[in-house]
Amino acid sequence: MWTRLGRWVLKYRSGLLIALAIITVLMGWFASQVKLSYEFAKAIPSDNPKYKDYQQFRKVFGDDGNLMVIGFQSDHLFEFPAFQSYRTLAAELKNVEGVSGVLSIPGAVNLVRNDESERLQAVPIFENVQNQQSLDSAASVFFNLPFYQNRLYHPQNNAYLMVVSIQPQVLADKGRTQVISNIQQQIQQFEKQLGAEVHVSGLPLIRTVVADRIQGEMKVFLLASVLLSALILFWFFRSFSTMLLSMGVVAVGVIWTVALIHLFGYQITLLTALIPSLVVIIGIPNCIYFINKYHVAFLEKQNKTDAIVEMVSKMGIVTLFCNIVAGIGFAVFALTESAILKEFGAVAGLGILFIFVVSFIMLPAILSYLPAPRNRELKYLESKIITSLFQTIQGWVFNKQKWIIGITLGVLAFSVAGIFKLKTVGFIVDDLPKGDVIYRDLRFFEKHFKGVMPLEILVDAKKKNSYTGLRALPIFEKIDSLSAFIAQQENMSKPLSVAEGLKFAKQAFYEGDSLQYLMPNSFDGAFVGSYLRPPKKGSGKTNALETMLQSFIDSSRQITRISVNMADVGTAKLPGMIERIKTKTDALFDTAKYQVTFTGTSITFQEGSRFIINGLTESILWAFLLIALCMLYLFRSARILFCSLIPNVIPLLITAGVMGWVGLPLKPSTVLVFSVALGIAVDITIRFLVNYKQELPMHQFRVADTVKATIHHTGLSILYTTGVLIAGFIIFCLSNFGGTIALGWLTSLTLVTATCTNLILLPVLLLYLGGNKRG
């Protein structure tokens, strides 16, 4: 069949190339429409309870991830020139397009009792500051308000905080990059005036920087992988035409794959940004195997057309199954419940199959138009160094079998010991290097303000109007008790809730006495209560406290929120912290009367990481099953199936063991390595075993002779292909993201060990299980 297909491609080569060109132009237009994702990829299924809780929270209270924070330490902030610069910064940030509000010391307000209107009035503290004397007076008022302590300033270390709120619609648009840039420009000017380092953090900044770096790295890695592959191909074949042909094949494959992202309605994320480079890395081996076989066949037949048909007949089925297996390694991600992995799996899996179609059409068709290979282009087939290496490997396989088995078992024991050291943990900024300014700035806020990552706690009283008037005081007393407990936790900041507003109101009622910053009790609640009731509809009166805290109670006055900022403690530590708080909430709130829900970005990230890791683990099992079925169908032999899987399980175990020994945890970005590497590494096994089966009849089914021939005939292309793959993945080590770096060196490690096991251990297994019997 494959011989007929080869002749069919040659017969209709012109029409096939024209059709391919038209499709590529169309795909190119689709590829140009692909957009960059400016949102954290949705890792949790839409029917997950925690995802539903978070979406409901956003619907009622708005986004929790639209705040940027600006912080610094200074002993001179309350000197008039420095304070004036700080006030100017706050004013300039308010004028930045896309900024919805700024919370800062210069904009701080004091609640003042107005007996005539029977309302609390919000009075700006620093509005009339014109000189050092008036600043000192205003500062004394400000520092007498516990409400702002550990929120806008830290009294022990002179650390100060400003919060910038960004419009949610801006954060979902490409214009967010310009908004963040405009904010940073204002901060840089203030930093020069202050003469101290200013730190910036928050989810809008982190998300924007990550997205922009993804876009930049995608271009760099794609260009680097293309150039490196081109150099290797030219060094290998010593032919510009062959190099350009191979690069043309992968270029078309990349265009088709990027077009898929748009056609599926996806956007470029941290994972999908890797796909074009992966297509290059996987597409080049197709070209190497096809062209290598073409050169070998040409040496034998000395006829270009016959050599091309031989190339297709021998390598077509092999390359198809290799691409199917590699595609399975990626496509199994589409079986997970994580949206980000579904997108990656669908696009990468189909992209690799596209590469086969493009290779199968372009290579035979264009080779038929090119001149026959010259002698210098075929010299690599008789390399003395490579021949010597294969002689050495052959000697090991036939004379050192016990040593090979013993070393393999020893390495496995070492790896298994490392696997027991593996830990599962992920952080929101996990993939950023420790020396990155974003990482360092985040640590500043964690040190001085216990972090900036959002955690939301919702207390549902299960009845409307439960948070109205004095009857709500007992509930808020419980919330205040919970807030005090949370504030005592090592990595959680002082929560913000209606309870804090009530304490602020009581202090205002008692003429600003800071000792009265307490929850109203049954005695003074009657006095404070008149200031807490919302104005009647149509009265035109505005309760300042009601305005300040309107975002903390829903419109039905049934649900209130407790907002906590916390450190990026990681998925291993967070569940224990949440469980301790949950134990406290269960003690405070009767579950028959209240429903307490934990949500926010911190919770969804933890849940997303769990889904991704579980999904990736499941995908590896699916990959093994599907690949095993493919191998069984291809070879129709349980013995060959066993021989094929062992050399590919061992590299994965070695990689996992190395991760354990070096302290690299299992997290979404590192678990990805195993499925990717499995799909690529099995490619080597298929190449070896298909050639083994093809050689077997030629050697009267003598296993030993067939193994020798297979090592020499497939070893060259396997070594060059592995070199291309490793060179392509090593490029990822230049990334700014830890996960991408890990993907680079861990996959390279897996490929090195897979090459060794397939060229050394696999022949030994074939000899042990087959001996000199007929295969």
Side-chain angles (χ1 to χ4, degrees):
M1 183 185 79
W2 289 96
T3 300
R4 291 197 300 271
L5 283 174
R7 296 190 185 280
W8 179 81
V9 170
L10 292 179
K11 181 178 180 180
Y12 298 103
R13 58 185 180 175
S14 299
L16 288 172
L17 288 175
I18 292 172
L20 197 66
I22 293 172
I23 295 173
T24 302
V25 170
L26 181 63
M27 287 294 204
W29 184 84
F30 286 128
S32 68
Q33 305 302 307
V34 72
K35 296 181 180 179
L36 184 68
S37 174
Y38 284 90
E39 296 183 83
F40 272 165
K42 187 175 67 176
I44 311 175
S46 57
D47 60 350
N48 180 269
K50 291 186 178 179
Y51 178 77
K52 289 182 177 179
D53 289 342
Y54 182 58
Q55 293 306 313
Q56 181 63 26
F57 165 81
R58 294 178 65 185
K59 181 180 178 181
V60 175
F61 295 106
D63 202 332
D64 69 333
N66 66 329
L67 300 180
M68 280 182 63
V69 289
I70 303 165
F72 59 91
Q73 283 183 285
S74 175
D75 296 329
H76 312 292
L77 180 62
F78 284 92
E79 294 177 5
F80 186 71
F83 189 83
Q84 189 67 11
S85 297
Y86 196 40
R87 183 158 58 175
T88 301
L89 172 64
E92 292 294 336
L93 290 178
K94 286 182 181 179
N95 293 328
V96 172
E97 186 176 357
V99 172
S100 57
V102 176
L103 179 61
S104 65
I105 292 176
V109 298
N110 186 19
L111 293 180
V112 178
R113 189 176 74 180
N114 188 319
D115 293 330
E116 293 182 4
S117 63
E118 295 187 349
R119 287 283 180 249
L120 296 174
Q121 290 183 336
V123 179
I125 299 173
F126 297 97
E127 184 178 36
N128 298 316
V129 168
Q130 301 295 330
N131 50 45
Q132 186 64 51
Q133 183 178 0
S134 57
L135 175 60
D136 292 341
S137 177
S140 65
V141 174
F142 175 76
F143 287 120
N144 190 49
L145 301 174
F147 181 83
Y148 296 108
Q149 186 173 318
N150 295 320
R151 290 194 176 92
L152 294 183
Y153 73 98
H154 195 291
Q156 279 74 43
N157 51 29
N158 291 326
Y160 300 96
L161 182 76
M162 179 184 290
V163 181
V164 180
S165 177
I166 301 177
Q167 296 170 1
Q169 62 270 25
V170 171
L171 297 177
D173 185 78
K174 63 181 180 180
R176 67 187 291 171
T177 299
Q178 187 59 50
V179 173
I180 298 298
S181 177
N182 293 339
I183 292 174
Q184 289 179 314
Q185 288 178 10
Q186 297 297 332
I187 293 171
Q188 289 169 1
Q189 293 180 12
F190 171 69
E191 188 174 39
K192 292 178 182 178
Q193 297 169 353
L194 182 67
E197 184 179 9
V198 177
H199 305 271
V200 189
S201 191
L203 290 181
L205 177 73
I206 295 171
R207 290 170 173 170
T208 300
V209 171
V210 168
D212 290 345
R213 287 183 184 177
I214 288 172
Q215 186 180 38
E217 285 194 354
M218 178 182 176
K219 297 175 182 177
V220 172
F221 289 157
L222 182 57
L223 179 61
S225 61
V226 168
L227 290 177
L228 188 58
S229 298
L231 288 173
I232 293 174
L233 284 168
F234 181 73
W235 175 71
F236 187 16
F237 294 116
R238 300 293 197 276
S239 168
F240 276 110
S241 59
T242 302
M243 178 194 74
L244 293 175
L245 172 58
S246 301
M247 300 317 299
V249 169
V250 296
V252 172
V254 167
I255 292 171
W256 286 26
T257 304
V258 175
L260 274 182
I261 298 176
H262 174 72
L263 291 173
F264 283 172
Y266 302 153
Q267 294 181 327
I268 296 175
T269 64
L270 183 59
L271 281 182
T272 53
L274 299 175
I275 294 176
S277 296
L278 290 174
V279 168
V280 172
I281 293 167
I282 295 169
I284 290 296
N286 280 6
C287 299
I288 291 177
Y289 282 115
F290 268 115
I291 295 172
N292 175 242
K293 190 64 179 179
Y294 168 60
H295 287 167
V296 171
F298 182 79
L299 272 180
E300 294 176 355
K301 300 178 181 297
Q302 293 299 309
N303 181 283
K304 186 174 68 172
T305 301
D306 290 345
I308 292 174
V309 173
E310 178 77 2
M311 172 190 77
V312 175
S313 65
K314 294 293 185 182
M315 298 308 300
I317 182 67
V318 180
T319 305
L320 173 62
F321 269 90
C322 284
N323 284 182
I324 288 175
V325 167
I328 287 173
F330 294 102
V332 288
F333 296 137
L335 301 177
T336 68
E337 296 184 84
S338 171
I340 182 177
L341 292 178
K342 283 179 181 290
E343 294 177 7
F344 178 80
V347 175
L350 281 176
I352 291 171
L353 294 182
F354 280 172
I355 272 288
F356 170 77
V357 174
V358 173
S359 303
F360 186 77
I361 294 174
M362 281 186 68
L363 289 172
I366 295 179
L367 283 173
S368 68
Y369 285 112
L370 294 176
R374 291 167 289 184
N375 289 333
R376 67 182 181 86
E377 297 174 19
L378 306 176
K379 282 186 177 180
Y380 73 94
L381 296 174
E382 300 174 352
S383 170
K384 293 181 180 180
I385 297 176
I386 298 296
T387 302
S388 176
L389 174 61
F390 291 151
Q391 289 289 355
T392 302
I393 292 175
Q394 180 180 307
W396 293 342
V397 168
F398 283 90
N399 303 316
K400 304 289 185 180
Q401 294 178 4
K402 291 182 179 179
W403 276 96
I404 292 171
I405 298 297
I407 291 173
T408 301
L409 292 175
V411 172
L412 278 177
F414 176 81
S415 300
V416 170
I419 290 173
F420 283 106
K421 294 179 176 290
L422 269 177
K423 297 180 179 179
T424 302
V425 63
F427 296 84
I428 293 179
V429 294
D430 207 13
D431 286 336
L432 291 174
K434 300 297 185 286
D436 192 279
V437 63
I438 294 179
Y439 185 89
R440 289 188 284 106
D441 283 353
L442 179 63
R443 292 295 172 252
F444 170 86
F445 292 102
E446 291 180 348
K447 178 180 178 181
H448 298 291
F449 296 97
K450 294 189 175 182
V452 297
M453 297 303 170
L455 171 66
E456 298 287 343
I457 304 173
L458 305 181
V459 181
D460 185 350
K462 299 183 178 181
K463 291 182 180 179
K464 292 183 178 181
N465 296 315
S466 295
Y467 294 108
T468 302
L470 297 181
R471 59 182 168 183
L473 285 180
I475 307 178
F476 288 126
E477 287 175 357
K478 296 177 183 291
I479 290 175
D480 185 54
S481 177
L482 177 62
S483 297
F485 176 80
I486 293 173
Q488 294 172 359
Q489 305 305 305
E490 180 182 1
N491 294 301
M492 291 185 169
S493 66
K494 185 178 178 183
L496 185 60
S497 67
V498 175
E500 296 298 315
L502 294 177
K503 292 192 286 186
F504 198 172
K506 180 174 179 178
Q507 181 183 359
F509 178 80
Y510 285 101
E511 305 293 345
D513 184 359
S514 61
L515 296 178
Q516 294 299 321
Y517 188 76
L518 304 167
M519 280 295 299
N521 54 37
S522 57
F523 173 75
D524 51 32
F527 298 98
V528 180
S530 61
Y531 298 98
L532 303 180
R533 288 190 293 270
K536 296 180 180 179
K537 292 183 178 180
S539 67
K541 295 182 179 180
T542 301
N543 185 316
L545 184 62
E546 187 74 16
T547 301
M548 181 189 302
L549 300 177
Q550 62 182 345
S551 63
F552 284 83
I553 301 178
D554 74 328
S555 58
S556 66
R557 294 185 167 267
Q558 177 178 319
I559 304 172
T560 188
R561 66 189 277 201
I562 305 169
S563 295
V564 184
N565 284 332
M566 60 179 297
D568 185 14
V569 296
T571 55
K573 194 173 183 179
L574 182 60
M577 297 173 63
I578 298 300
E579 190 59 35
R580 286 195 297 273
I581 298 175
K582 190 175 184 304
T583 301
K584 183 67 174 179
T585 61
D586 290 344
L588 289 170
F589 299 98
D590 185 353
T591 55
K593 297 180 180 179
Y594 305 98
Q595 179 179 339
V596 180
T597 303
F598 293 83
T599 188
T601 300
S602 297
I603 297 296
T604 55
F605 173 78
Q606 175 205 338
E607 187 72 0
S609 295
R610 185 180 69 83
F611 261 93
I612 289 176
I613 291 175
N614 291 344
L616 286 168
T617 304
E618 181 182 330
S619 72
I620 293 173
L621 298 177
W622 274 108
F624 262 109
L625 176 61
L626 294 175
I627 289 172
L629 291 175
C630 286
M631 303 285 268
L632 190 60
Y633 174 81
L634 183 61
F635 299 113
R636 311 295 172 91
S637 167
R639 177 172 61 87
I640 295 294
L641 175 63
F642 174 79
C643 291
S644 67
L645 292 181
I646 294 299
N648 290 287
V649 173
I650 291 173
L652 299 183
L653 294 176
I654 292 174
T655 300
V658 170
M659 288 175 60
W661 284 111
V662 302
L664 189 63
L666 280 175
K667 53 186 178 180
S669 54
T670 55
V671 177
L672 179 68
V673 171
F674 297 100
S675 287
V676 173
L678 176 62
I680 297 174
V682 171
D683 177 284
I684 301 173
T685 306
I686 293 177
R687 307 279 183 184
F688 190 96
L689 289 176
V690 167
N691 191 270
Y692 171 81
K693 294 292 286 185
Q694 291 174 346
E695 294 279 350
L696 203 56
M698 301 177 187
H699 295 86
Q700 287 73 49
F701 296 92
R702 291 192 297 269
V703 173
D705 292 341
T706 306
V707 166
K708 290 179 183 178
T710 305
I711 291 174
H712 285 272
H713 290 169
T714 62
L716 180 64
S717 54
I718 286 175
L719 287 179
Y720 275 104
T721 299
T722 301
V724 170
L725 290 171
I726 291 173
F729 277 105
I730 283 295
I731 290 174
F732 292 153
C733 292
L734 301 177
S735 171
N736 287 313
F737 300 99
T740 308
I741 294 171
L743 177 65
W745 76 266
L746 286 174
T747 305
S748 299
L749 172 65
T750 308
L751 289 171
V752 169
T753 53
T755 301
C756 292
T757 54
N758 279 288
L759 284 180
I760 300 173
L761 180 62
L762 177 56
V764 170
L765 293 175
L766 290 172
L767 291 173
Y768 265 117
L769 294 177
N772 284 315
K773 298 176 183 178
R774 294 168 67 92

